[in-house]
Amino acid sequence: MSDVQTSAGTVLGVSSAAPATYDAVGFAALTFTEIGEITEFGEFGREYNLVTHNPLSTRRTVKRKGSYNDGNVAAQLGRVPDDAGQAILIEGRDSDDSYSFIITLQDGSLSYFSGQIMSYTNNVGGVDQINMASVTIEIDNDIIEVAAA
């Protein structure tokens, strides 16, 4: 049987506090507020920029890794501005501070990171749609993964 799992049950939490140390212990000591009504958030994680060099003698493109970016979390939410987690996102959108985040997957595994809340936008949609919000969080440190207990 495969060990894959569905996204059902995944929770994203936020804290306005920074961890004392940027490791699992430091993040675990924080109190996180669950962000309510998340319907989807896409892929995130480290991606390297390609650096190339073309020596005349070999005609071959030499490829190496350059700088990297840990990406962003682009989440879609049912808009509930008085949800405690969404209220922190709205507050953080207008702050230059980094916020702390935790993603808890269905099996209990965790991902911790800090990030800048770059946007919280509204989408009213049409007559047969839920009022939605979109948030973009730019990850600004290593993503710390902790296996399920």
Side-chain angles (χ1 to χ4, degrees):
M1 183 166 165
S2 176
D3 289 335
V4 298
Q5 57 187 306
T6 69
S7 298
T10 299
V11 175
L12 177 62
V14 61
S15 174
S16 59
T21 56
Y22 280 83
D23 57 17
V25 173
F27 277 100
L30 297 176
T31 299
F32 290 93
T33 301
E34 182 177 336
I35 300 167
E37 301 299 327
I38 293 178
T39 57
E40 181 178 344
F41 55 89
E43 62 185 42
F44 60 92
R46 183 162 294 173
E47 184 173 343
Y48 287 86
N49 288 315
L50 175 64
V51 177
T52 63
H53 164 68
N54 294 91
L56 293 172
S57 62
T58 63
R59 298 169 47 155
R60 176 179 301 276
T61 300
V62 177
K63 298 178 183 180
R64 297 292 182 264
K65 291 180 181 177
S67 61
Y68 63 85
N69 185 327
D70 285 315
N72 66 54
V73 172
Q76 303 298 312
L77 314 101
R79 183 179 180 275
V80 185
D82 62 352
D83 170 83
Q86 290 191 36
I88 294 171
L89 294 175
I90 293 167
E91 164 196 303
R93 173 195 59 200
D94 296 326
S95 172
D96 289 335
D97 294 333
S98 290
Y99 283 62
S100 299
F101 295 89
I102 182 174
I103 296 173
T104 306
L105 297 180
Q106 184 184 75
D107 68 354
S109 59
L110 308 171
S111 294
Y112 294 111
F113 58 91
S114 67
Q116 297 272 308
I117 302 167
M118 304 303 286
S119 67
Y120 180 100
T121 59
N122 302 312
N123 180 356
V124 174
V127 68
D128 290 325
Q129 292 178 287
I130 299 294
N131 289 331
M132 300 294 289
S134 297
V135 64
T136 302
I137 303 158
E138 289 291 338
I139 300 170
D140 65 5
N141 78 310
D142 291 340
I143 299 167
I144 300 161
E145 295 187 8
V146 179

